[in-house]
Amino acid sequence: MVKLPIYMDNHATTPLDPRVLEAMMPYLTTKFGNAASRNHSFGWEAEEAVDKARAQIAALINAKPKEIIFTSGATESDNMAIKGVVEFYKEKGNHVITCVTEHKAVLDSCKALERAGKAVVTYLPVDKYGMVDPDDVRKAITDKTVLISIMFANNEIGTIHPIAEIGKIAKEKGVIFHCDATQAVGHVPVDVEKCGIDLMSLSAHKLYGPKGVGALYVRSKGPRVRLTPLIDGGGHERGLRSGTLNVPGIVGFGAACEIAGQEMAEEMQRLTDLRNRLQAGIFERLDEVYLNGHPTERLPGNLNLSFAYVEGESLLMGISEVAVSSGSACTSATLEPSYVIRALGIDDELAHSSIRFGLGRFNTEEEVDYVVERVAQEVNRLRDMSPLYEMAKEGIDLKSVAWRRD
Amino acid sequence: MAYSSKVIDHYKNPRNMGSFPKDEPNVGTGIVGAPECGDVMKLQLKINDDGVIEDARFKTFGCGSAIASSSYVTELVKGKRIEEALAIKNSVIVQELNLPPVKIHCSVLAEDAIKAAIADWQKRKGIKPAEKKEEAA
């Protein structure tokens, strides 16, 4: 018997790996020193632990340890990168290039800069798979462009952007390239050298580490990237991010990165197989199910599907013993479906019908099979209840109907 | 967001879910909402010549609260005269189902569905609609 509830929302957060917790425990108990205390052993052992974690994280992304700046998470890293670069390079220019499907931490940082009159932002479109065209990036660059910010992999649809190509263009044009790699690091190979990334946001809790800790990779050479800090104070992290370091969190982050690196090749294959099993199982049992995102260039654990004629939130309610997430934001006052799904150019009705499955390290084949059966069962039940399904079966073109919008 | 036990009950055990045959006489059909808004309700009322609602059916595309609102409405209108049914306010649905503020629109849609179904029945019967215009609360 499969154990319920099943967690299949690993893009939202991942469970803490027990091995990570084990690494953290001493720093939550006896080894409580402040890493900035230079004059006693408590401080030294904390500093040593932080240095080790810095090296573990750097190794996973092919960076140097000193290029890792610890933050509270990827949201802070995104804010720091975008606002910090725009502020520091304001004499050079004020133009930022990003894309419409970025995380809100990137989009809202850009909007805040626009409102403050500090930046002009170009929001690039994506194709029907959610991918940015590197040529669009090239064409958008002006002599005022100071920053390109494109995510590695999308958090909703799992699409992986052509990051190395964008990085190459950025180098050619001498523009700083920030990449929000929150969903990718630890899941697929990420190499800041190969990809030409200058700034990169990371988060520990997306790779089986603890919440409340993340990092910003800041390139030190070729070019040396400068930025104005968001948080001033004791001058920690080379003055870029003041505040006493979250030592247990950082130790956990480091351990999580080391484990992810060791197990990546095997885990990518295992998750791809599980994802394919989930997709094939659902497609076998149901008609009119559509894949959102790129068919091949996507995160191994991601499956985003639209179930025609069924509203996403009602489907989530039907499979309440399975934790997945819906692209439909029916709870918001605006009734807007996900901006990421909409950016793919699909109908709003299908956007309201989207479900994101996020497979992770602790999911099993047995769980996948259970989810396939339950999803098929609930979708069939809800389609029986759906006037749209009834109309479609009667041959009515739903687009030709004059809907009453009140 | 947690759902109330009544919403869950209607969602799991919808009352009067389905459709009347298309050509059945004495049936008024109201379809409200739009797919791109994430809510479409179809409400059918079987109304006798005395203006009493004898039976009701619904089908809904929408969230759990939308399904529950329409399911509840089918119970609510049965046995009522059309004037009584037209007087049903969405607030009754909100109260019964314990809908949170973000789900009030589901109850408004259900109220609209009653009015649309009755208007359709009146049109088919050649009856002039009631003069008093009800506004959604």
Side-chain angles (χ1 to χ4, degrees):
Chain A
M1 232 351 235
V2 63
K3 192 170 161 276
L4 299 176
I6 294 169
Y7 188 75
M8 218 173 261
D9 198 14
N10 286 280
H11 301 302
T13 191
T14 55
L16 191 70
D17 190 299
R19 294 168 289 181
V20 172
L21 177 63
E22 200 185 332
M24 290 170 70
M25 276 311 274
Y27 300 92
L28 289 161
T29 50
T30 52
K31 300 184 178 184
F32 56 85
N34 185 329
S37 298
R38 292 282 159 81
N39 44 12
H40 52 66
S41 64
F42 293 87
W44 301 331
E45 71 184 0
E47 192 187 14
E48 206 175 296
V50 167
D51 285 346
K52 183 183 168 194
R54 218 184 282 281
Q56 286 168 316
I57 298 160
L60 183 63
I61 59 169
N62 192 24
K64 299 179 199 73
K66 68 168 182 181
E67 295 176 318
I68 302 298
I69 304 299
F70 288 112
T71 66
S72 62
T75 290
E76 185 189 329
S77 301
D78 287 342
N79 270 267
M80 180 177 167
I82 295 165
K83 293 173 181 172
V85 163
V86 167
E87 181 64 28
F88 192 89
Y89 293 95
K90 63 184 173 197
E91 305 299 328
K92 194 177 164 226
N94 65 346
H95 181 228
V96 176
I97 298 168
T98 185
C99 126
V100 291
T101 55
E102 290 294 314
H103 191 270
K104 285 286 180 192
V106 166
L107 293 176
D108 288 356
S109 291
C110 289
K111 287 190 182 129
L113 289 170
E114 283 181 302
R115 271 198 310 275
K118 290 181 176 173
V120 176
V121 183
T122 300
Y123 300 91
L124 296 176
V126 292
D127 66 14
K128 63 178 177 173
Y129 301 126
M131 203 182 264
V132 155
D133 184 345
D135 247 8
D136 286 349
V137 176
R138 185 191 296 278
K139 283 181 207 147
I141 296 172
T142 71
D143 55 358
K144 292 275 179 218
T145 307
V146 289
L147 182 71
I148 297 166
S149 180
I150 303 288
M151 70 202 325
F152 206 102
N154 185 269
N155 49 306
E156 287 193 37
I157 52 173
T159 297
I160 298 173
H161 288 296
I163 291 301
E165 281 180 68
I166 297 168
K168 206 172 145 222
I169 293 165
K171 286 288 147 307
E172 263 172 51
K173 301 277 186 178
V175 177
I176 294 169
F177 178 30
H178 167 247
C179 180
D180 176 356
T182 309
Q183 296 288 342
V185 170
H187 301 281
V188 291
V190 174
D191 183 321
V192 292
E193 291 303 327
K194 274 191 195 152
C195 294
I197 294 167
D198 299 317
L199 292 162
M200 188 166 82
S201 304
L202 302 87
S203 174
H205 77 102
K206 307 284 192 190
L207 59 141
Y208 313 97
K211 290 166 185 62
V213 59
L216 182 67
Y217 157 79
V218 182
R219 179 176 289 281
S220 61
K221 229 170 104 181
R224 177 185 173 210
V225 175
R226 313 284 302 275
L227 60 163
T228 305
L230 285 183
I231 298 175
D232 297 307
H236 307 73
E237 300 297 272
R238 297 191 287 123
L240 285 174
R241 206 284 191 176
S242 289
T244 297
L245 290 179
N246 169 6
V247 178
I250 288 166
V251 167
F253 189 7
C257 284
E258 189 172 314
I259 295 167
Q262 286 163 353
E263 300 181 352
M264 188 181 293
E266 206 180 311
E267 183 65 0
M268 277 175 69
Q269 191 54 54
R270 194 188 73 91
L271 282 180
T272 303
D273 292 346
L274 277 187
R275 197 261 316 280
N276 291 346
R277 187 183 180 96
L278 179 61
Q279 184 173 353
I282 289 172
F283 277 61
E284 240 167 61
R285 282 162 184 77
L286 295 168
D287 61 351
E288 297 210 57
V289 183
Y290 304 95
L291 177 72
N292 298 314
H294 202 284
T296 53
E297 294 301 303
R298 68 189 300 136
L299 292 171
N302 178 279
L303 184 65
N304 192 310
L305 299 175
S306 282
F307 298 88
Y309 318 117
V310 171
E311 197 271 338
E313 198 184 315
S314 68
L315 179 53
L316 291 197
M317 193 173 165
I319 51 167
S320 56
E321 76 277 30
V322 181
V324 292
S325 110
S326 159
S328 161
C330 190
T331 44
S332 76
T334 54
L335 307 180
E336 291 278 300
S338 146
Y339 68 93
V340 174
I341 308 278
R342 291 185 83 172
L344 308 179
I346 72 167
D347 290 345
D348 276 2
E349 182 242 315
L350 278 179
H352 276 292
S353 305
S354 73
I355 299 284
R356 177 185 71 180
F357 301 88
L359 292 156
R361 186 177 286 168
F362 302 103
N363 288 122
T364 63
E365 228 170 62
E366 198 191 9
E367 287 178 333
V368 165
D369 293 346
Y370 178 90
V371 170
V372 166
E373 290 308 327
R374 287 289 293 117
V375 165
Q377 207 179 349
E378 269 317 300
V379 168
N380 281 327
R381 188 181 88 93
L382 291 166
R383 280 181 177 174
D384 272 347
M385 221 190 283
S386 169
L388 303 180
Y389 190 63
E390 186 181 64
M391 291 164 98
K393 290 287 149 192
E394 285 168 5
I396 297 169
D397 177 10
L398 296 177
K399 286 190 186 59
S400 71
V401 178
W403 298 104
R404 276 187 51 168
R405 296 168 186 85
D406 290 318
Chain B
M1 191 198 63
Y3 294 95
S4 74
S5 56
K6 282 185 176 161
V7 167
I8 294 170
D9 182 44
H10 276 282
Y11 171 82
K12 289 198 168 152
N13 312 293
R15 329 287 203 263
N16 308 302
M17 197 278 286
S19 299
F20 291 125
K22 283 190 91 149
D23 44 4
E24 189 151 344
N26 300 329
V27 171
T29 303
I31 300 179
V32 294
E36 69 264 29
C37 304
D39 287 305
V40 176
M41 280 181 196
K42 186 184 88 166
L43 180 68
Q44 290 185 302
L45 303 177
K46 194 184 278 185
I47 304 170
N48 69 19
D49 291 340
D50 298 330
V52 174
I53 298 168
E54 291 184 326
D55 207 354
R57 291 283 182 278
F58 87 92
K59 281 204 175 193
T60 291
F61 163 83
C63 65
S65 302
I67 290 169
S69 295
S70 37
S71 168
Y72 173 57
V73 152
T74 61
E75 287 190 315
L76 199 59
V77 295
K78 259 202 235 184
K80 284 203 164 58
R81 302 190 50 79
I82 54 173
E83 309 83 69
E84 293 173 300
L86 284 169
I88 292 171
K89 290 278 177 204
N90 76 302
S91 52
V92 178
I93 303 164
V94 173
Q95 206 168 10
E96 166 67 17
L97 298 176
N98 237 323
L99 296 181
V102 291
K103 296 296 186 185
I104 303 254
H105 69 273
C106 298
S107 69
V108 174
L109 210 56
E111 182 192 317
D112 289 348
I114 302 174
K115 293 184 166 58
I118 291 174
D120 181 60
W121 177 80
Q122 285 170 330
K123 203 174 127 199
R124 292 180 66 176
K125 290 276 166 189
I127 301 168
K128 268 202 341 203
E131 280 142 50
K132 210 176 104 203
K133 235 191 155 179
E134 300 283 342
E135 285 297 320

